[in-house]
Amino acid sequence: MTDTRMIAAGMTGTLAQPGFGLVSAVDPVNHAVRVVVQPSGVETGWLPYAAMQVGSLRIACVPDIGTHVLVVHVEGDAEHGVAAVPVYDAVVMPPTSPATGKPAQPGEMLVMAGCGAPPSGDAATPGPTAQDAPWWHLTPDAIHSGAGNTTETLTSGGKAWAVGAVAMTLDGNGLSVTGGPITTDRDITAQGTVTGQTDVRAAGISGHAHTHPVTTAPGTTGAPQ
C-alpha cells in the first residue's frame, strides 16, 4: 500500500523554498536583479525585483548591490522566482529621522537618501553616508523634509522653512521671515500700512533722517516728525 504522506514529503523536498540572499547585480531598466542565495552561495539568473506600484502611477526603487532580499520561487519552481522584498539586518539598520531623532514609528513613513550602500564583497560595514542628502518623513502630525541645512515642515496650522539661521513661517497670522533680509527684483504692493521699525529707504534716501530744501528762506527743514 502506498503511503501518500511519504510521497508528499518527498515532493516537498524537491520544491524550491523561499530564502534570503544578497543582490549581486542590478538592471535598472528592467527593474531586475541577480541574487546570491544564502547559505549555498549560488547566484540566480535575472529575477524581477518587486515594485511598490505599477500602472498609471509607478514607483521605481532598485536596490544597491549587497542588499539583503527575500527570494520567493513561483509555484516552487527554482527557475522562476522574484526578489520579493528587501529586509534590514544587523549591518544595514533603519535610518534615523533628522526631524524626530528616531527611526520611523508605526503609522509613519521615512525616506532617506545617502545612507550608505550595503557592504559588498568582503566588506563588513556600509559605505560612507552623504551628509547633505535629501530626506522626507511623513508622520501623523506633520510632513517633514530637508536637505543639508535646509528643512521644511507642513502641519495643519501652517508651513515653516529654515535655511541655516534664516526662517520663514506661513500660518493664519500671515508670513513671517526672521534671520535675514528680503530681496526682490520686482515691485512690492501693500494694501495696508508698511511699517519700518528702524528706517524706510527709497533710492537710497532715508525716510527717517532725510531733509528738504527751503525755497522761501535759506537752509533746510528738520528731519521728519
Side-chain angles (χ1 to χ4, degrees), residues 67-97:
T67 298
H68 204 170
V69 295
L70 173 66
V71 177
V72 177
H73 298 281
V74 179
E75 296 181 348
D77 186 350
E79 298 298 322
H80 297 86
V82 58
V85 61
V87 293
Y88 287 110
D89 52 34
V91 177
V92 179
M93 300 291 290
T96 299
S97 170

Side-chain angles (χ1 to χ4, degrees), residues 52-78:
M52 293 180 62
Q53 174 63 28
V54 297
S56 58
L57 173 65
R58 305 177 190 183
I59 301 175
C61 183
V62 293
D64 294 291
I65 292 176
T67 298
H68 204 170
V69 295
L70 173 66
V71 177
V72 177
H73 298 281
V74 179
E75 296 181 348
D77 186 350

Side-chain angles (χ1 to χ4, degrees), residues 19 40 73 84 95 115 134 166 174 178 186 214:
S40 66
H73 298 281
C115 294
V166 180
T178 59
R186 302 300 297 269
V214 177

